[in-house]
Amino acid sequence: MTQSIFNTGKVLHQVVIGQLQGVAEEYFDKQPEGFNNTIRWNVGHMIYWMDKYSTLSFGSPSAIPDSYEMLFNSGTKPLNWTVAPPSKEELVEMLMAQLSRLSELTPEMLDEKLSTPYSLGPFQFNTASELFNFALIHEAIHLGTISSQLKVLSR
């Protein structure tokens, strides 16, 4: 059962990568009406938080540049960026590296208690599996946002 969580994470990352490869980079920085951010921001946000959740869940060292926190953390937005964001190619490479790291995780790692419970609003996560499952939900939500942005932009 626990191996299926990792398989779900891999499939989800493959879907995101596949969708992004078909998107022209010119769409990455257009903010459609009714949306708070751009496709580039959503992709970077997914990468940033998957890295953060992996660090919290499994003790994995961060594998992203420090600038990602300033660019893609919750509450950030492209209008406030003071440094150039990563290219589409770099974002896809980061997603592929995360996909590769998912293969290194073991089912036993999911059973571990977090060193400190992680709270997010009214939710509290106590184990690696709880937090990693939330990470996948979070990524799927942002994939849906990207899909919606693409529909609006392609009109």
Side-chain angles (χ1 to χ4, degrees):
M1 171 67 176
T2 54
Q3 189 61 41
S4 68
I5 295 169
F6 295 134
N7 290 339
T8 299
K10 290 176 193 175
V11 168
L12 180 56
H13 253 60
Q14 289 168 337
V15 169
V16 172
I17 291 165
Q19 182 166 31
L20 293 177
Q21 288 175 331
V23 177
E25 186 148 5
E26 68 190 56
Y27 283 146
F28 267 58
D29 295 309
K30 292 183 179 176
Q31 185 172 322
E33 188 175 333
F35 290 88
N36 295 328
N37 283 300
T38 62
I39 291 172
R40 187 179 315 277
W41 183 89
N42 276 280
V43 175
H45 182 75
M46 290 175 5
I47 292 166
Y48 171 78
W49 277 105
M50 181 56 78
D51 183 80
K52 183 73 99 179
Y53 291 138
S54 293
T55 298
L56 292 167
S57 296
F58 309 114
S60 309
S62 178
I64 59 172
D66 292 340
S67 62
Y68 277 47
E69 182 169 13
M70 178 180 64
L71 294 167
F72 303 121
N73 196 357
S74 300
T76 63
K77 56 186 172 189
L79 289 175
N80 297 335
W81 288 348
T82 57
V83 297
S87 67
K88 171 189 170 182
E89 181 181 344
E90 182 182 332
L91 292 170
V92 170
E93 286 174 7
M94 286 288 200
L95 286 165
M96 292 173 85
Q98 285 183 335
L99 176 61
S100 178
R101 283 192 297 281
L102 284 173
S103 298
E104 299 168 7
L105 302 175
T106 65
E108 297 76 29
M109 296 169 88
L110 288 169
D111 296 330
E112 295 293 320
K113 287 225 178 273
L114 300 178
S115 57
T116 304
Y118 184 76
S119 295
L120 184 66
F123 308 109
Q124 182 168 308
F125 305 99
N126 297 301
T127 65
S129 64
E130 291 172 352
L131 189 54
F132 187 70
N133 270 306
F134 178 76
L136 298 180
I137 292 167
H138 177 259
E139 189 162 305
I141 289 168
H142 284 279
L143 174 60
T145 299
I146 291 168
S147 297
S148 297
Q149 289 177 316
L150 286 170
K151 285 180 184 172
V152 172
L153 290 170
S154 63
R155 285 187 190 159

